[in-house]
Amino acid sequence: MPRVSADPYGFDFEPNTTALIVIDMQRDFVDPGGFGEALGNDVSLLRRALEPTRRVLDACRGAQVMVIHTREGHRPDLSDCPPAKLARGHHATTIGDEGPMGRILVRGEYGHDIVDSLKPLPDEPVVDKPGKGAFYATDLENILRNRGITSLVVTGVTAEVCVQTTVREANDRGFECLVLSDCIASYFPEFYEMTLKMITAQGGILGWVAPSAAFLAALPLPTHA
Ligand code: TIU
């Protein structure tokens, strides 16, 4: 079984029971004019995760590892958006408002979609989620169980919000999570560092962490008939 050199110890995985999950790599989080900026953040801090994630995505596709994408967002009528989520922060611009990339965090809008460099292929599930965790109010768990997936390789944004929430949800459901440290990012450098520590503390209380190079080194090359 392939083993990734990881914290707090080696992460063993079988490619055919492993899925790469790319969390919320949407323009609304990584480009100016979207939700991230509306919350008062410098979106450029997230962009460092894009290129490492693209390399991992390419490798997983080549190795026939299942790939799943998620997007945070809401129905155009916002009926699935909790009023508290709309109101919290008292921001001048919020979910559903018109921005330079369309209505913020609304499904079907340009800003809600995934960045071009990580664009899903037609056979890769895209899970639309109303919350921070990718399991809450979605069919993600069904999709994973139906495909016999037991391990997740986790990438995306932001580290302490949607990534960490999803890792916690996955961990409680029995999935083993390897978070790729250079493929996640936060608007807050200290939250990024602490997210990694929270996952691996106490003997891997939530999962494992490794740089993407360690995962790529362990990923078996595709076999050709
Ligand atoms: N605000 C923030 O850091 N993140 C989110 O609102 N959503 C995700 O992390 N995707």
Side-chain angles (χ1 to χ4, degrees):
M1 190 184 287
R3 170 169 292 189
V4 181
S5 179
D7 276 337
Y9 53 86
F11 176 81
D12 297 325
F13 72 105
E14 291 287 5
N16 61 359
T17 58
T18 299
L20 170 70
I21 183 162
V22 185
I23 298 174
D24 299 2
M25 289 295 213
Q26 298 161 252
R27 298 185 184 102
D28 260 331
F29 292 107
V30 305
D31 284 352
F35 185 59
E37 199 173 76
L39 295 175
N41 299 303
D42 172 5
V43 296
S44 70
L45 288 165
L46 299 195
R47 304 190 66 85
R48 62 187 62 166
L50 293 176
E51 184 54 23
T53 303
R54 193 196 58 75
R55 286 195 293 268
V56 170
L57 184 59
D58 283 353
C60 285
R61 285 170 174 165
Q64 273 146 29
V65 168
M66 186 184 190
V67 175
I68 297 180
H69 306 258
T70 72
R71 298 183 297 201
E72 181 180 348
H74 297 282
R75 295 167 179 262
D77 64 4
L78 304 183
S79 57
D80 60 348
C81 184
K85 185 176 179 182
L86 270 182
R88 192 174 314 131
H90 308 290
H91 297 288
T93 314
T94 190
I95 298 167
D97 289 348
E98 201 65 50
M101 296 189 291
R103 292 180 66 205
I104 290 175
L105 233 55
V106 169
R107 292 179 193 153
E109 300 289 335
Y110 182 77
H112 170 265
D113 211 354
I114 293 165
V115 296
D116 287 337
S117 65
L118 302 174
K119 193 177 167 64
L121 294 179
D123 63 344
E124 294 170 353
V126 178
V127 173
D128 279 318
K129 61 189 184 66
K132 304 306 182 189
F135 288 85
Y136 171 69
T138 73
D139 54 5
L140 175 61
E141 185 169 359
N142 280 343
I143 293 171
L144 297 175
R145 303 256 186 241
N146 289 340
R147 288 283 294 266
I149 299 297
T150 57
S151 299
L152 296 177
V153 174
V154 181
T155 62
V157 296
T158 65
E160 76 282 8
V161 182
C162 292
V163 171
Q164 203 183 125
T165 305
T166 299
V167 168
R168 287 169 186 267
E169 290 180 328
N171 179 58
D172 281 347
R173 286 165 174 77
F175 296 98
E176 307 228 271
C177 294
L178 172 69
V179 176
L180 300 184
S181 53
D182 50 333
C183 297
I184 69 167
S186 171
Y187 302 118
F188 304 89
E190 66 273 33
F191 291 170
Y192 168 81
E193 293 298 335
M194 282 303 161
T195 294
L196 299 180
K197 286 187 177 168
M198 286 182 196
I199 289 164
T200 59
Q202 306 177 74
I205 194 76
L206 298 173
W208 287 256
V209 169
S212 60
F215 171 66
L216 294 176
L219 188 64
L221 292 173
T223 49
H224 297 287

